[in-house]
Amino acid sequence: MPATTEQLTKYEKIETFVKGFKLSGAAYKRVMALLHQEMNNGLRKQSHTMADIKMFPTFVRSLPDGSEKGEFLALDLGGTNFRVLLVRLQAVDIDIQSKTYLIPQRIMLGTGTQLFDHIADCIGKFVNEHNLTNHCLPLGFTFSFPCQQEGLAKARLSKWTKGFRCEGVVGEDICQLLQEALKRRTNCKVEIVAVVNDAVGTLMSAAHGDRNCEIGLILGTGCNACYMEYLDNVGTWKNDEDHHPKQVIINTEWGAFGDNGCLDFMRTEYDTELDTFSINPGKQIMEKMISGMYMGEIVRLVLERLTREGLLFRSVDRECALFERGRFYTKYVSEIESDTDEFFRNTKQVLDELHVESYTTEDCKIVKYVCTLISARAAFLAAAGLATLINRLNKQDMTIAVDGSLYRFHPRFHNLMCLKIKELVKPGLKFKLSLSHDGSGKGAALTAAVSLRLRNMKLGGASSSSGDSTSNIACETVKVMA
């Protein structure tokens, strides 16, 4: 950061408070070695129970092949709102209609019955609005929370994240809870045929148009990745069927990387404070250093510390929003780093929103500098995770499907990740990061479509499912469940 002689002491002081975010290449290689080891622990039967990174098999055994057809519902639940989608597939052509619904705070912190009844009510309204009440509709369910999957349409919630604390759901089959709510609250003919998380949905969506795509990454409110693994490497796999490919998508749940303390060497005092005051102390350590739910708060903690040390906002009112936990949103980081000239228009707007009454251009420079350090560490840490997967798969050309608000809206995240991945992957391995369009919605529907295509094959039907056969299978299943 540029400084004149008389300012040097001030900037040296600032560096003492932020130097922990500047990590060497060797540190990220250490992260990769630790992550590789922890992933193996999650895959091995004997160490899985104690592993922090659970490496859950998803039961998604095949990527789309372009033959999928039919009419599908998709439900995308992963944060403070959810979407219901109607997806019509005709080979490579896809038509999507969707609607977003809010989840009130009282429901996020209420009971599981309240949550799933609310979701079922919204699905019922959506189906009625599209005049599909008498249609038999297979549903792909994107559920972006850690689950232990026991089948393609059977998944037990391991723990709530992202601010949810609905009682009576942990350890329960979320598909069964939703199916029962649909039966209780609607008259729709809907069968849940597949449950995936948003990372799997992102991968499936991108793989529909790119056969080199075998990794999915979420960089949004949370952070997680999935990839296609050979069954020979999955010690926790319990059943197999000869007609299926010898592979399965693994949901890493790598947000929990570091929960055992292995990343303590790179955590700062701000990471520790954020963790202490979170609703899940000691959990999701890697996610807390990367994702959109936490990045803004880390920036706020640093700015608060610099202010208290007299290095920033010398005349700030101690009652301003900068001193309130959770008030510095991650979107502010993206906006501030989008400032490209000396006027700092976005930065000034953010400071005005925080009710910082007086600030200088130098203050704006310092605020932007803090943002760049913290977002770069997040991007480099995510890159180290991806490099670990790319090296593990060891294929010449690899596409990584990426989705999430942090990746979409931060002006430098993509480029920072690409630079660090190039530095960390094995020589000769090529990769590209591809924004996955509507992954958690379209991907869920595609997963449902692929599952019905494979189900038809198992039943001795055609190698691809027509709209009619999709509907017939869904109707028969719904009748049985009813």
Side-chain angles (χ1 to χ4, degrees):
M1 192 171 172
T4 62
T5 305
E6 61 269 18
Q7 292 173 318
L8 194 58
T9 303
K10 175 180 179 177
Y11 283 117
E12 283 182 337
K13 286 180 181 177
I14 289 173
E15 284 301 314
T16 65
F17 293 108
V18 299
K19 64 183 180 182
F21 296 106
K22 298 180 175 182
L23 296 163
S24 65
Y28 288 109
K29 287 179 181 176
R30 182 178 175 187
V31 167
M32 289 175 64
L34 289 165
L35 179 58
H36 184 72
Q37 178 181 327
E38 294 290 311
M39 291 172 92
N40 286 338
N41 288 342
L43 288 171
R44 292 192 192 105
K45 187 176 182 180
Q46 60 271 32
S47 54
H48 173 81
T49 304
M50 299 299 293
D52 288 315
I53 305 177
K54 288 302 184 185
M55 304 294 285
F56 292 131
T58 63
F59 292 81
V60 180
R61 304 290 301 279
S62 178
L63 298 172
D65 67 3
S67 68
E68 292 78 20
K69 299 176 184 178
E71 198 172 53
F72 301 85
L73 283 181
L75 168 65
D76 176 14
L77 172 63
T80 53
N81 54 43
F82 66 93
R83 287 190 310 152
V84 181
L85 304 94
L86 173 62
V87 181
R88 292 185 172 98
L89 299 173
Q90 184 66 38
V92 295
D93 295 325
I94 299 182
D95 176 67
I96 300 176
Q97 299 173 60
S98 68
K99 188 168 183 177
T100 300
Y101 301 89
L102 294 175
I103 302 178
Q105 184 79 1
R106 61 180 174 79
I107 289 180
M108 288 176 65
L109 303 177
T111 66
T113 300
Q114 290 172 322
L115 174 66
F116 287 103
D117 279 358
H118 175 62
I119 294 169
D121 287 342
C122 294
I123 291 174
K125 290 175 186 174
F126 182 87
V127 169
N128 288 334
E129 286 169 6
H130 287 83
N131 299 314
L132 296 170
T133 306
N134 295 319
H135 290 225
C136 298
L137 297 165
L139 183 142
F141 183 8
T142 300
F143 187 74
S144 306
F145 301 90
C147 284
Q148 174 72 61
Q149 209 145 349
E150 298 175 4
L152 190 58
K154 186 173 185 179
R156 297 187 186 278
L157 178 67
S158 300
K159 60 182 175 182
W160 283 117
T161 57
K162 306 177 193 174
F164 279 76
R165 281 187 291 189
C166 299
E167 63 183 53
V169 185
V170 172
E172 297 298 320
D173 177 7
I174 51 108
C175 291
Q176 183 180 346
L177 293 178
L178 177 57
Q179 194 78 62
E180 289 172 351
L182 285 165
K183 182 180 177 182
R184 196 164 53 237
R185 308 286 296 196
T186 78
N187 59 352
C188 304
K189 301 173 183 176
V190 175
E191 179 206 354
I192 303 166
V193 297
V195 59
V196 298
N197 70 5
D198 49 359
V200 175
T202 294
L203 170 55
M204 293 295 282
S205 179
H208 187 247
D210 186 338
R211 297 293 181 262
N212 288 328
C213 189
E214 292 191 25
I215 299 174
L217 174 67
I218 295 297
L219 287 168
T221 305
C223 177
N224 190 24
C226 68
Y227 72 104
M228 187 65 83
E229 179 64 273
Y230 293 111
L231 281 181
D232 290 345
N233 298 327
V234 187
T236 55
W237 187 254
K238 295 176 183 176
N239 60 334
D240 196 16
E241 298 165 16
D242 291 337
H243 70 279
H244 274 311
K246 300 296 183 182
Q247 59 183 12
V248 66
I249 294 178
I250 294 293
N251 166 27
T252 66
E253 289 298 340
W254 75 9
F257 180 37
D259 287 8
N260 63 1
C262 70
L263 293 181
D264 287 356
F265 75 94
M266 63 178 293
R267 295 174 74 204
T268 67
E269 61 187 275
Y270 313 105
D271 297 306
T272 303
E273 183 173 351
L274 178 143
D275 181 47
T276 300
F277 286 92
S278 68
I279 64 169
N280 55 347
K283 303 295 183 184
Q284 300 297 106
I285 295 302
M286 175 157 151
E287 184 170 75
K288 285 172 178 171
M289 289 192 280
I290 296 176
S291 78
M293 185 166 185
Y294 306 101
M295 184 187 291
E297 178 64 7
I298 296 176
V299 171
R300 190 197 68 80
L301 288 169
V302 176
L303 297 180
E304 180 183 48
R305 181 67 184 273
L306 294 179
T307 302
R308 294 191 189 283
E309 296 290 336
L311 298 167
L312 185 65
F313 308 137
R314 286 186 179 273
S315 59
V316 71
D317 180 354
R318 296 303 169 116
E319 298 299 316
C320 83
L322 184 66
F323 298 96
E324 295 178 25
R325 293 191 188 281
R327 274 292 280 112
F328 195 101
Y329 308 125
T330 297
K331 70 171 185 174
Y332 290 163
V333 181
S334 296
E335 290 167 1
I336 288 168
E337 291 195 55
S338 296
D339 275 332
T340 56
D341 55 35
E342 70 276 13
F343 298 111
F344 294 101
R345 290 184 181 88
N346 293 339
T347 305
K348 290 174 180 177
Q349 185 175 336
V350 168
L351 294 177
D352 289 341
E353 285 186 33
L354 293 169
H355 309 299
V356 178
E357 292 182 353
S358 59
Y359 49 81
T360 64
T361 299
E362 184 185 40
D363 288 334
C364 292
K365 287 180 182 177
I366 294 168
V367 169
K368 184 175 179 182
Y369 179 58
V370 170
C371 289
T372 60
L373 290 180
I374 292 165
S375 64
R377 184 190 67 164
F380 292 162
L381 194 51
L386 282 185
T388 305
L389 288 178
I390 293 168
N391 288 346
R392 187 181 188 94
L393 291 172
N394 200 31
K395 295 186 177 180
Q396 290 301 309
D397 287 293
M398 181 65 61
T399 299
I400 299 101
V402 192
D403 200 4
S405 54
L406 183 58
Y407 180 80
R408 282 178 178 269
F409 300 121
H410 191 280
R412 303 189 309 137
F413 226 81
H414 172 88
N415 290 342
L416 287 169
M417 287 178 66
C418 288
L419 287 169
K420 186 57 72 173
I421 294 170
K422 285 177 185 174
E423 180 187 317
L424 297 173
V425 293
K426 296 175 185 175
L429 296 186
K430 297 178 182 178
F431 69 92
K432 71 173 180 179
L433 304 185
S434 176
L435 181 63
S436 180
H437 296 286
D438 203 14
S440 48
K442 184 174 79 174
L446 282 163
T447 305
V450 169
S451 74
L452 292 182
R453 170 167 59 80
L454 294 177
R455 190 193 296 186
N456 277 356
M457 290 171 64
K458 182 180 178 182
L459 294 172
S463 62
S464 64
S465 59
S466 69
D468 287 344
S469 63
T470 296
S471 299
N472 289 340
I473 291 172
C475 274
E476 290 303 316
T477 310
V478 170
K479 286 177 186 173
V480 170
M481 295 185 77

